[in-house]
Amino acid sequence: NDEQDQTSVLPIDPGDYFDQNDNFDFDESIVIDSVAMMSLEINSANDGHTIGESGRYFVHEGSFCQVYRLDDPEKRYGGETGSVAMKVINDQFPDEKDISRLENEYNVLRHLANPDAAGRALNQTLRNGAAAIYLDWLDGNTLKEWIRSFHSVRASSWTMNSDNDGRKKILSVLKNTTWSLLDIHDAGVVHNNIRADHIIIKTDEKCSIKFISFGSASFLPRSDKNSNTDKRKDLISLGFIFYEIISGKSSLYTDHRQPLFLTSDYSSGSEEVSSVEEGQHDATQLYVSHIEVLSDLASRIPISFMKMIMALIESKMTARRYQSVNEVYQDLDHPNTFLNDSKIRPYIGKIKFPHDKLFGRNDHLSSIMNVCQRMNSARPSEVILVSGHSGTGKSTLVNHVGKILVKMGVNFTSGKFDQLQQAKPLSTIIDAFDGYFSEVMQSGQDVINKTKTSLLKALGSGVSVLTRIIPRLCAVMGISATDPVQIGFNDAQNRLKYLFESMISAIATPSQPLVLFLDDLQWADISSLQLVKSTLTNSENKCFLCIGSYRENEISNDHPFADFLSDIISHKIPITKIELGNIDRTIVNALVSDVICTPELETKPLTDIVYRKTGGNILFVIQFLQSLHSEGLLLFSLDSECWKWDSAEIETKTIPNDVIRLLVGKITTLPLHVQYILKLLSCIGSVCAESTLRLLINDIDHCTKESKTTSDKESDIFPLLKVAIDEGLVNKEGSSYHFTHDQVQSVAYSLIPKDERDSLHLKIGTILLKNMPNHERGNIFFVAMNQLNRGKLVMEDGMKEWVAELNLKAGREAISLSAFRNSASFFEAGISLLGSSCWDKHYELSLQLHNFYAEVEFCNGHFDEVNRVTKIIIEQAKSFSDKTRAYLTFIKTLGALRNLSNATEVALAVLDDIGEPIKHSDMGSLVRTVHVFAKMKDSQFLALKEMDDDVKRAAMKFLLALVSCGFKIVSNDLPFALNRMLELTLIYGVCEESCAALAIISF
């Protein structure tokens, strides 16, 4: 390959290679590849990197040689332009193989008589084992650069019919390229390595063309110079050059380690497909598929012109074949023969799966629509559950319903649970309502104002809690996200449920009902299910319908969704259940017919094979048809303009009998660049923003060995995603890529070697965290932390403390979202990262992590875990003050377990230790204290300071715990504990617990 961005220099002065007396005649027997000599326009005397004496400029370094431009105003090296090019082997002591590469290029160029087709070879040297050749310097740019320049100023939808000047320029370049190649063939030479960067074009009106890099060229047999067999290699390459010129896309896959497509039947006979070493290309070049060529050309040129190019690359889509370059030139010399049909048919030859059609689901569609039509009558909330095995079309069915509902004026929003994103709190709910409010923002100011008014009326100041969770709600309300008032864990959870229910009530109205679709409930997190359950069971909510889809075979009795289902059944919420299975043979035939636009009667033979192989699983059917198309077993004939297939050949083809194996085979035959991108996508989840993917690809320099600039990487890698899109593996919607099915994601992830997954997750998490914008912190932070935690087993010790601290932050952030299950996972991950010696090496961090972990596990109802962790804290804490949070959590746990006597006993013991023992005096003391507050004026009460004594604040917490236990059992301690809380408030100031004490005495 020609790595144009490398600028390293020779280990010795290139002047050492010059010797005008050296002139050797070499045998013309060795044919071996050479790195292309790159030509640049000479814009100034300072062009390039000067090496040694003035007038010598470094131009390019390839894998085995370097190229220099040498000023030669006196033409002492034999050039005619005032400059010559010197190509010299990198190695000071090269082997015979390297020398032979250079020899072959020199011999071929000396043989070519016409300087218009290629530059002249001027001289060669060989001294002390070092070899160099001197060539005419060719002014101009590589054709690759010219193509990039031509298309950079034109829209991606450019066509030959829409740009008369562009069409003339293109035809001129095509003709000149063909004419120069014709000269080379007429001289008895076959180039064997025609590429856009092995062609120099002069950037003037004439666009003259010269070929370079003849290291792999060969001579035609003297007895058979008119033989077409050897010329076929160049003819096919010329066809792909035409494709590049017209489409602006490279015709070569950049990853030669993974063969994807070998031109026509090149590999038959003595030719063998082998990996091509960096810096080399042999005759078996690996091109993009004929299907991709057809797809790119169909939208740009008339079909008659397309047939010409497809014939040139020897596609099976047409029976025509060119026998010589002269035939190609004759056609180009009479362009009306292929441009007279001006009609461009962009979809010709493409498999297009209908996204607006359902097959075999009319009864299911009617059942769902019947429920939806009831939602505008102010009925209570309802539920529709769609179940079925993977690949039966559950998501497609409901999304189709969504399109119908939107046209009817119903608000439809959806979210998809992700197996790899369960650590992100409420992510699916957030995504769904972020999408809803995005639609509101695009619906005009009247809709925005109406929505804003309804929400303010329903939520009041509580809207700030939701704006912190749902980013797009900020835009609707016209406010910035702010931190809500901090309250207790359980109180925060109840507040979120109340506000979410109120939000639903505000936006779901008889005139505009709300339908929420939650996909893949088998991967739902408990926090999301609880939030949805509370909304459904609130009888005040009307005109709200929740549709859920799930794989019934993946729901066990102890699955969170099973509990969710049991709860809504117990609340007598109306549930409509719909079960989807595979489609029958007749429906499969209708699908096949629709996909290839062929009458159903004609597709029956193909359908019989498809149905027998797939069993009618819709995902399998679609992927199977895609595979047949990709492998050329189902192709479009440009001659008859209809689809063709060979049933016998398909029958003999070894094709996996399940969709997983089919997907594995499909992904592993893609170029390694594409495979790696799919693996990155699978690590992130079912959906990934393009900006995130760019970030990962630019930072994880895995796909290319050589160092590249950011723009180079993006331009090389992102067009390859089109391959995955064409294969039906990935779709792009807006600025995000998503897998067409979660099975595709699962397969892509499974292809990452198990011993590499942790490292990859760690890299992804580090990159996301490093580049996380402040305004997207809430959106990306949890994703990054999930990735980091998945990589904890391969994490270096020096990194573990930092990630543990981040887990503490993530856990606290999750608490603010009332997602206690998620927060517990973050705290637990942080503890495990610190290891067994955490209390000795990271005391403060360990104390924080353990305390928070115990507190959220209390909220989650995992009391055995709370007891275990609080015991560890009490044993490891260095001071009594460090133990107080653990004691308080332990007392609450005993209370929740109805072990009130032990809870009281522990609370009393702690109060004794901190100097606040309960003193049993007469009841008059409580009456007197209450009387003080009763006579207190508002101004006096507001003048009370905030309690700042840490010991007394701790005492207030334990006193309140004691009071709480006292209400549930007969306890003489209750009035005296309450009295002491009031006294501490009067003496030391107000704290949160003061509110509870004052509320109690107010009764």
Side-chain angles (χ1 to χ4, degrees), residues 91-109:
D91 194 343
Q92 187 177 357
F93 303 103
D95 57 23
E96 267 187 45
K97 183 179 177 181
D98 290 337
I99 296 173
S100 296
R101 299 186 190 194
L102 228 50
E103 290 176 5
N104 189 69
E105 181 159 13
Y106 178 81
N107 292 332
V108 170
L109 290 174

Side-chain angles (χ1 to χ4, degrees), residues 899-964:
N899 194 349
L900 299 174
S901 58
N902 282 348
T904 301
E905 184 180 339
V906 174
L908 289 171
V910 172
L911 286 169
D912 281 343
D913 284 341
I914 60 177
E916 285 290 340
I918 297 299
K919 298 176 181 178
H920 290 246
S921 57
D922 61 87
M923 291 295 293
S925 59
L926 175 60
V927 174
R928 288 191 293 273
T929 307
V930 170
H931 187 66
V932 172
F933 278 100
K935 293 181 62 177
M936 191 178 288
K937 296 180 180 179
D938 288 351
S939 57
Q940 292 175 307
F941 184 80
L942 293 173
L944 291 173
K945 69 173 185 176
E946 184 177 349
M947 190 178 292
D948 55 8
D949 187 309
D950 291 338
V951 175
K952 300 308 177 185
R953 287 179 67 94
M956 289 288 285
K957 293 181 185 295
F958 286 102
L959 286 166
L960 180 59
L962 189 61
V963 168
S964 299

Side-chain angles (χ1 to χ4, degrees), residues 661-714:
R661 293 180 183 177
L662 182 69
L663 288 170
V664 168
K666 178 178 286 191
I667 293 175
T668 53
T669 57
L670 295 174
L672 290 186
H673 281 84
V674 185
Q675 289 186 47
Y676 191 72
I677 293 173
L678 291 178
K679 291 172 184 177
L680 283 179
L681 280 171
S682 72
C683 289
I684 294 296
S686 59
V687 181
C688 182
E690 183 174 359
S691 58
T692 302
L693 191 54
R694 287 184 184 275
L695 191 65
L696 296 177
I697 291 170
N698 291 337
D699 277 24
I700 302 178
D701 194 9
H702 177 95
C703 297
T704 52
K705 292 181 179 179
E706 64 271 18
S707 175
K708 288 191 172 186
T709 64
T710 296
S711 60
D712 283 339
K713 288 180 186 177
E714 291 175 0

Side-chain angles (χ1 to χ4, degrees), residues 310-440:
M310 298 305 286
L312 194 53
I313 65 174
E314 300 193 356
S315 170
K316 293 180 181 179
M317 298 178 195
T318 177
R320 185 184 179 189
R321 294 289 181 267
Y322 282 99
Q323 301 302 314
S324 69
V325 180
N326 185 53
E327 288 183 19
V328 181
Y329 186 80
Q330 292 302 319
D331 278 352
L332 289 171
D333 205 31
H334 300 85
N336 288 336
T337 60
F338 55 84
L339 291 179
N340 54 2
D341 177 12
S342 61
K343 186 177 180 181
I344 293 177
R345 298 159 66 182
Y347 299 110
I348 193 169
K350 293 183 180 180
I351 278 191
K352 288 191 70 68
F353 292 96
H355 298 292
D356 56 349
K357 278 188 179 182
L358 291 176
F359 292 88
R361 302 302 187 204
N362 290 336
D363 292 343
H364 305 103
L365 176 62
S366 298
S367 298
I368 296 176
M369 291 306 299
N370 288 338
V371 177
C372 293
Q373 289 167 359
R374 298 199 294 261
M375 300 313 298
N376 58 2
S377 57
R379 291 170 60 94
S381 302
E382 293 193 38
V383 175
I384 297 176
L385 295 177
V386 183
S387 62
H389 283 72
S390 175
T392 51
K394 301 181 292 295
S395 305
T396 302
L397 171 62
V398 181
N399 284 321
H400 185 83
V401 169
K403 293 176 183 177
I404 298 173
L405 294 177
V406 169
K407 292 178 181 178
M408 295 169 55
V410 176
N411 289 319
F412 178 87
T413 190
S414 63
K416 181 180 177 67
F417 290 103
D418 192 319
Q419 191 174 16
L420 294 179
Q421 289 297 336
Q422 293 179 340
K424 183 180 178 183
L426 304 174
S427 59
T428 303
I429 302 294
I430 293 170
D431 290 344
F433 284 95
D434 227 24
Y436 169 79
F437 288 116
S438 292
E439 290 294 325
V440 170

Side-chain angles (χ1 to χ4, degrees), residues 843-947:
Y843 177 78
E844 290 297 332
L845 180 57
S846 294
L847 184 64
Q848 286 275 69
L849 285 168
H850 280 80
N851 270 317
F852 274 115
Y853 181 49
E855 288 163 356
V856 295
E857 284 293 69
F858 170 78
C859 295
N860 292 328
H862 298 161
F863 300 129
D864 287 343
E865 185 69 355
V866 175
N867 288 336
R868 184 186 72 83
V869 177
T870 52
K871 183 179 179 181
I872 292 173
I873 298 171
I874 293 169
E875 288 176 352
Q876 298 292 338
K878 295 178 179 179
S879 65
F880 188 81
S881 61
D882 286 346
K883 299 178 183 182
T884 54
R885 280 178 66 182
Y887 273 126
L888 191 62
T889 305
F890 181 58
I891 292 169
K892 288 180 180 178
T893 302
L894 291 173
L897 292 171
R898 301 292 181 182
N899 194 349
L900 299 174
S901 58
N902 282 348
T904 301
E905 184 180 339
V906 174
L908 289 171
V910 172
L911 286 169
D912 281 343
D913 284 341
I914 60 177
E916 285 290 340
I918 297 299
K919 298 176 181 178
H920 290 246
S921 57
D922 61 87
M923 291 295 293
S925 59
L926 175 60
V927 174
R928 288 191 293 273
T929 307
V930 170
H931 187 66
V932 172
F933 278 100
K935 293 181 62 177
M936 191 178 288
K937 296 180 180 179
D938 288 351
S939 57
Q940 292 175 307
F941 184 80
L942 293 173
L944 291 173
K945 69 173 185 176
E946 184 177 349
M947 190 178 292

Side-chain angles (χ1 to χ4, degrees), residues 449-472:
N449 291 339
K450 182 180 177 181
T451 304
K452 181 178 179 180
T453 301
S454 298
L455 289 171
L456 283 174
K457 183 178 178 181
L459 303 175
S461 60
V463 73
S464 63
V465 176
L466 295 183
T467 54
R468 191 172 182 275
I469 298 173
I470 307 172
R472 294 301 294 173

Side-chain angles (χ1 to χ4, degrees), residues 621-649:
V621 169
I622 291 172
Q623 291 298 329
F624 186 79
L625 289 172
Q626 285 276 15
S627 292
L628 293 180
H629 185 224
S630 300
E631 295 181 32
L633 300 176
L634 173 64
L635 55 84
F636 187 81
S637 170
L638 289 169
D639 298 332
S640 59
E641 296 190 20
C642 66
W643 288 91
K644 300 287 186 182
W645 63 89
D646 187 334
S647 298
E649 190 176 355

